[in-house]
Amino acid sequence: MFETAPILLGQYRPHDSYLHRLDARAKMLPVTVVLVLALLTSSFIFHIAILSILLIGLLRSGVAPSKLMANFRPILILAVITSLYHLVFSGIGTPVLWNLYGFELTEGAVRMAGFFSLRLILFVSFAFLVTLTSSPSELANAFARVLSPLRRLRIPVQDLALILFMAIRFIPVLYQEFETIRNAQIIRGVRFTGSIFNRIRKTVCIIIPVFVAALQRADELALAIEARGYRGEVLRTVYSQLKFGKREWVFVTGSTVIVVALFVVTG
């Protein structure tokens, strides 16, 4: 099933690797530290170094490089769109590198285009790595355990964990819904070929029926949860118990020290 899964995001992939054996809580702290530091720094070297480590982790998680590239293709297209936006609208007042028929390509625009595209790829890579090496139930359970002190403030932690679980679990379901509607359109004679603008225009038309189907699924799911007597304030038992041992402490300490050191060295 996992070998033939169309997308990797939200698809837990059982494998015997170091990251798979770690408690999901041990991955949350380094990920949070990296995301916060990535928002604080403007260093290319920091982003490239972290992204290189992530790519090694993704390849070690049992995913074929060809499948990894296929899943990164839409992200790369989004990164290109991000780059084009910054090349056109950013970098005003910085030195001009190139002038073509009145369009000025500035140094600041090139720097912003590369930086924000790299940051986008970095954040998506984290989502791939975490969801590939931890099942949705493990992530939701870890999320609820980490935020459990907030119950004293009457924050519905269990409900938030359930929302996280359903959001991750339904990513591949929505993609399958998208493919079903797309195949139905192809049978009716719609061709998703031609220029990239033509394909984008026809693909956008599918988003509305996918959105309607998602709302219907949400209604059905809410009725099913209500019918089973779900109550978020009641403490729940879990099938698999989380174990935060020596291995997790070594990983959290080592990875956090490395990330902070990279942040300090690269400025």
Side-chain angles (χ1 to χ4, degrees), residues 3 5 8 10 23 43 86 103 109 117 145 195 223 240 248:
E3 291 293 339
L8 294 179
D23 187 310
S43 169
H86 285 287
F103 172 72
S117 300
R145 293 285 293 275
S195 67
L223 287 174
S240 57
E248 282 73 19

Side-chain angles (χ1 to χ4, degrees), residues 43-105:
S43 169
F44 277 90
I45 299 176
F46 177 83
H47 284 74
I48 292 172
I50 297 295
L51 189 58
S52 302
I53 296 172
L54 283 176
L55 289 178
I56 293 173
L58 282 169
L59 292 174
R60 295 284 297 173
S61 63
V63 183
S66 59
K67 193 158 192 169
L68 198 59
M69 283 302 299
N71 277 267
F72 263 101
R73 197 173 300 150
I75 310 304
L76 294 178
I77 293 174
L78 194 58
V80 170
I81 295 173
T82 303
S83 299
L84 291 175
Y85 172 83
H86 285 287
L87 288 175
V88 174
F89 297 107
S90 301
I92 299 174
T94 56
V96 178
L97 298 176
W98 190 37
N99 193 322
L100 179 64
Y101 301 111
F103 172 72
E104 294 180 343
L105 186 63

Side-chain angles (χ1 to χ4, degrees), residues 8-11 19 24 26-39 46-58 61 68 72 75 118-134 139 168 251 255-256 259 262:
L8 294 179
L9 188 62
Q11 285 282 352
L19 289 175
K27 304 168 195 174
M28 287 186 171
L29 179 60
V31 168
T32 305
V33 171
V34 170
L35 295 182
V36 171
L37 294 182
L39 292 174
F46 177 83
H47 284 74
I48 292 172
I50 297 295
L51 189 58
S52 302
I53 296 172
L54 283 176
L55 289 178
I56 293 173
L58 282 169
S61 63
L68 198 59
F72 263 101
I75 310 304
L118 203 57
R119 179 179 285 178
L120 174 66
I121 296 172
L122 178 68
F123 285 6
V124 175
S125 299
F126 265 119
F128 275 132
L129 186 64
V130 172
T131 54
L132 276 172
T133 58
S134 301
L139 287 174
I168 297 175
F251 175 77
S255 57
T256 304
V259 170
L262 268 175

